[in-house]
Amino acid sequence: MALLEFYGAECGHCLKMMPMIDRLIAEGIAIEKLETWHNEENARKLAEYDRGYCGGVPFFYNTESKHWICGEEEEETIRRWANGEKV
């Protein structure tokens, strides 16, 4: 399973969420962070996983459950998503 976070380096919503995401990673939740505004390969991956769900960042995708989150969310919602719950 892969937990993916697509973000933009200068995205205000992404920057606001970054400390929380980093804290979850430090706790052992394996979230792969993929910057899309300056990395064309990651931007292509975003388009592949997004499939029109969100159209922007932050965008979170759980490759096992196929559940996704579009935009800024609370920590509890991100934790539930990471555990495979539909949020």
Side-chain angles (χ1 to χ4, degrees):
M1 168 177 69
L3 303 173
L4 308 175
E5 176 202 15
F6 295 93
Y7 72 97
E10 295 87 14
C11 165
H13 298 286
C14 301
L15 292 172
K16 185 177 177 184
M17 292 190 67
M18 195 71 65
M20 182 253 295
I21 297 300
D22 289 342
R23 185 172 56 252
L24 296 177
I25 291 169
E27 290 176 11
I29 298 173
I31 299 172
E32 182 179 355
K33 296 167 31 172
L34 301 160
E35 201 287 325
T36 62
W37 288 9
H38 302 283
N39 184 307
E40 290 182 29
E41 181 180 343
N42 289 344
R44 285 190 295 274
K45 286 181 184 178
L46 170 61
E48 175 187 329
Y49 285 104
D50 182 15
R51 289 177 256 147
Y53 299 138
C54 185
V57 292
F59 177 72
F60 297 87
Y61 192 81
N62 183 322
T63 62
E64 183 174 296
S65 69
K66 309 292 190 238
H67 296 153
W68 51 271
I69 295 174
C70 179
E72 191 177 322
E73 277 294 345
E74 299 293 325
E75 183 173 336
E76 183 57 36
T77 301
I78 298 294
R79 286 181 182 279
R80 289 182 17 238
W81 161 81
N83 286 325
E85 296 177 39
K86 187 170 183 171
V87 293

